[in-house]
Amino acid sequence: MIECLKQLIDLMQTHGATRFYAKRLAPNDNSKNQIYLGGDFSALNVLPHGEIYTDDGSQGGGRRDRAKASLDFWWLSAAGLDRAPHANLILYPKYPEVRFSGFLKGCKNSPSKILTVRDEGRVLVLGVAPEGRVLGFAVEADHPIAREVRLSQWQMIGVFDLLPAGKEKRTSRSILLSELRRIYELNWILSQKLAPDGTKHPYAARNGGGYTLEAELGVSPNGYAEPDFLGWEIKQYGVADFKSFRPKSPVTLMTPEPTGGLYREKGPDTFVMSYGYPDKSGKPDRMNFGGVYACGKTFHKETGLQLELVGYDSENDKITDMDGAIALVSNEGKLAASWAFKSLMKHWNRKHAQAAYVPSLYKHPPPQYSYGPKALLCERTDFLMYLKAVSAGLVYYDPGIKLEKVSTRAPKLKRRSQFRVKHSELHGLYEETVTENLL
């Protein structure tokens, strides 16, 4: 029998969970009405999920205005784990809100007696593993775990209580700040990159600032759509000095490849040949595609393209079409490239729920980095905040795509699609931004 929260978290840890949350269930939180996860999309920050897709079912003769995302969800008991194969998140963009559904269907050992009723005071505890598996454990109102949750005051993330991880009393925030302080005190660090086996290797390329910081934090490249360090996305940015902390360049938020348009249908080579231009520095047999593209700006004079938001109501800050996208459109109305909301939403909510922006200095030879005595910590974001910044022209598309050896049978392509923002505008992407002094 699982009798207390510590025992439950210890058991979840043996099954790989590293982050823990509690949802205090209201009477309407049941299998019939689904479990309410908040009046925005911030629940997607907490629960790792599959690809977001539009539900093509119908209700009352009309199309359902919602999208879904599957969960790798397992109910935990003293006997082990049982998978809930139909568990999913349902996104309602026009409200907006997210609900948890399908968590009992097809699972023999689910807590159906707890989640089919409307009793006040029930609690759902969730454990999240780095590879994306979510563990669940539900208790009645009079269970010791439910009483412990009700009597405690933990940090809230949306509708969730953020639970302490076992014996660790420090928060992920305090651990991160301690590590950044240690790294600052190291002064100059040789440029490096952490291998998957945990060993550090020299890294000579100029973009080593992020890799070097991640290596010091013990972050190695992996295939999981998870933040870098204890739930925090870590981003470094170059500065001229540690007095003014003036950024040398904008912050790169995401580097997603287009999911639609000519770029996707015919390939990036055709895209560059259609909308690119000869290299301006005179490099022969090379075509480039660059420039800055922001909503509200006119068509780019070199490429003839303009950035637009399709399926977003800027006045009411709502998604009107879950099949919408950020789009590059030609002055002839042709779709050159697009980034679907559903793919961007998954990346933004998982990677940017908590983010730390760390300043750095660079010198060579050999290439070395020094990280600053301050860090900007940003918390609680939502994809609608991202779209609002795109709509206002604050987040913009700043590509650097090139096609070399154009006239040959094997042109060489370099892809670089990136969305950027000025450092001074980061506060608009998060509900809380705080500059922490590490000294």
Side-chain angles (χ1 to χ4, degrees), residues 199-276:
T199 58
K200 297 176 181 177
H201 297 277
Y203 187 80
R206 184 61 183 84
N207 65 335
Y211 288 131
T212 302
L213 180 57
E214 289 176 352
E216 283 299 323
L217 290 169
V219 177
S220 60
N222 61 62
Y224 305 137
E226 285 288 309
D228 295 323
F229 183 82
L230 298 178
W232 291 85
E233 176 76 357
I234 310 298
K235 285 188 171 291
Q236 67 83 42
Y237 62 97
V239 296
D241 56 65
F242 288 153
K243 294 181 180 179
S244 66
F245 291 94
R246 185 176 296 111
K248 288 185 174 180
S249 61
V251 175
T252 299
L253 295 171
M254 293 194 289
T255 57
E257 281 287 285
T259 57
L262 180 72
Y263 188 106
R264 184 74 173 182
E265 295 166 1
K266 299 295 183 180
D269 293 34
T270 301
F271 171 83
V272 174
M273 292 302 296
S274 299
Y275 298 107

Side-chain angles (χ1 to χ4, degrees), residues 26-282:
N28 277 345
D29 288 329
N30 53 52
S31 58
K32 180 179 179 180
N33 298 303
Q34 307 162 353
I35 294 177
Y36 176 76
L37 299 183
D40 53 25
F41 297 132
S42 62
L44 303 181
N45 302 348
V46 173
L47 300 176
H49 52 81
E51 296 299 325
I52 299 172
Y53 62 95
T54 303
D55 182 7
D56 292 327
S58 61
Q59 188 175 35
R63 183 177 179 178
R64 292 177 180 176
D65 183 24
R66 67 183 190 179
K68 290 184 177 180
S70 63
L71 291 184
D72 184 15
F73 190 85
W74 300 71
W75 287 112
L76 174 67
S77 67
L81 295 175
D82 287 284
R83 185 169 182 265
H86 301 283
N88 61 75
L89 300 178
I90 303 181
L91 288 62
Y92 298 91
K94 287 187 178 180
Y95 294 109
E97 67 180 36
V98 176
R99 290 182 178 269
F100 181 30
S101 179
F103 43 81
L104 299 181
K105 184 179 179 182
C107 184
K108 293 182 179 179
N109 295 313
S110 63
S112 58
K113 292 182 179 180
I114 300 173
L115 297 177
T116 55
V117 298
R118 296 174 54 87
D119 296 348
E120 189 83 47
R122 297 162 298 145
V123 169
L124 172 64
V125 178
L126 302 171
V128 179
E131 70 273 14
R133 186 164 62 173
V134 181
L135 311 180
F137 188 84
V139 293
E140 304 94 336
D142 60 353
H143 193 283
I145 289 177
R147 290 197 295 269
E148 186 175 352
V149 170
R150 289 197 300 270
L151 293 173
S152 300
Q153 292 184 341
W154 291 297
Q155 177 187 347
M156 297 293 295
I157 299 180
V159 300
F160 298 98
D161 289 276
L162 178 60
L163 305 181
K167 296 180 180 180
E168 180 57 70
K169 299 299 182 182
R170 295 188 299 164
T171 64
S172 64
R173 183 191 187 101
S174 66
I175 297 172
L176 172 64
L177 291 175
S178 178
E179 280 295 286
L180 293 179
R181 185 178 301 111
R182 176 187 66 80
I183 292 170
Y184 162 71
E185 292 173 348
L186 291 175
N187 200 6
W188 291 101
I189 306 170
L190 290 173
S191 182
Q192 59 190 345
K193 186 176 182 180
L194 201 66
D197 64 1
T199 58
K200 297 176 181 177
H201 297 277
Y203 187 80
R206 184 61 183 84
N207 65 335
Y211 288 131
T212 302
L213 180 57
E214 289 176 352
E216 283 299 323
L217 290 169
V219 177
S220 60
N222 61 62
Y224 305 137
E226 285 288 309
D228 295 323
F229 183 82
L230 298 178
W232 291 85
E233 176 76 357
I234 310 298
K235 285 188 171 291
Q236 67 83 42
Y237 62 97
V239 296
D241 56 65
F242 288 153
K243 294 181 180 179
S244 66
F245 291 94
R246 185 176 296 111
K248 288 185 174 180
S249 61
V251 175
T252 299
L253 295 171
M254 293 194 289
T255 57
E257 281 287 285
T259 57
L262 180 72
Y263 188 106
R264 184 74 173 182
E265 295 166 1
K266 299 295 183 180
D269 293 34
T270 301
F271 171 83
V272 174
M273 292 302 296
S274 299
Y275 298 107
Y277 46 84
D279 182 79
K280 292 184 178 181
S281 64

Side-chain angles (χ1 to χ4, degrees), residues 17 60 67 70 105 140 145 149 196 211 218 238 241 262 301 312 319-321 343 349 373 386-387 403 435 439:
S70 63
K105 184 179 179 182
E140 304 94 336
I145 289 177
V149 170
Y211 288 131
D241 56 65
L262 180 72
K301 63 178 182 179
Y312 172 75
I319 295 174
T320 58
D321 184 357
S343 63
N349 284 321
Y386 180 80
L387 289 185
L403 188 64
T435 299
L439 298 180

